Amino acid sequence: GIADARIILLRAEQHFGLGEGELAKLQRGDSRRAAIGWAIHRQTCTPLSWIAEQLNLSSAANASQQIRRFDDRKTGRLPTEERTWKKLML
């Protein structure tokens, strides 16, 4: 699961135009972190604690909440970058 999660992290960095290490430095409230966490959670069996640590989401509970909120948002209301990411990862 973690190996697959790392691949998704690399794809996310490319998709969102982030350099190595920039992912963890995204500002609090940046919805790209939730979008990436959503993809990892959806496609792997990686623990939420690992996702939270990699994306700087404070805790597993916060990661779960952010992922759920991202999943609940209608695709049309997402920023273009995140909309294409969600379609790509479905």
Side-chain angles (χ1 to χ4, degrees):
I2 291 180
D4 292 335
R6 290 186 194 281
I7 292 169
I8 293 171
L9 285 174
L10 290 173
R11 288 180 69 189
E13 286 176 346
Q14 292 172 347
H15 179 80
F16 291 112
L18 300 169
E20 189 175 332
E22 287 183 53
L23 197 56
K25 296 177 185 175
L26 292 176
Q27 290 185 349
R28 190 171 170 93
D30 191 319
S31 58
R32 293 178 291 182
R33 296 186 313 164
I36 297 164
W38 167 83
I40 293 170
H41 185 65
R42 188 172 197 286
Q43 295 186 8
T44 70
C45 58
T46 305
L48 286 168
S49 58
W50 187 90
I51 295 171
E53 183 179 324
Q54 297 302 307
L55 299 175
N56 198 20
L57 288 172
S58 303
S59 66
N62 184 47
S64 176
Q65 187 176 51
Q66 296 298 323
I67 290 167
R68 183 182 45 78
R69 285 182 182 161
F70 179 81
D71 191 41
D72 288 346
R73 286 181 70 185
K74 294 190 187 317
T75 304
R77 293 184 172 233
L78 293 171
T80 305
E81 227 177 17
E82 292 166 27
R83 187 177 323 133
T84 55
W85 174 253
K86 195 169 188 176
K87 288 179 182 178
L88 184 68
M89 295 278 103
L90 284 176

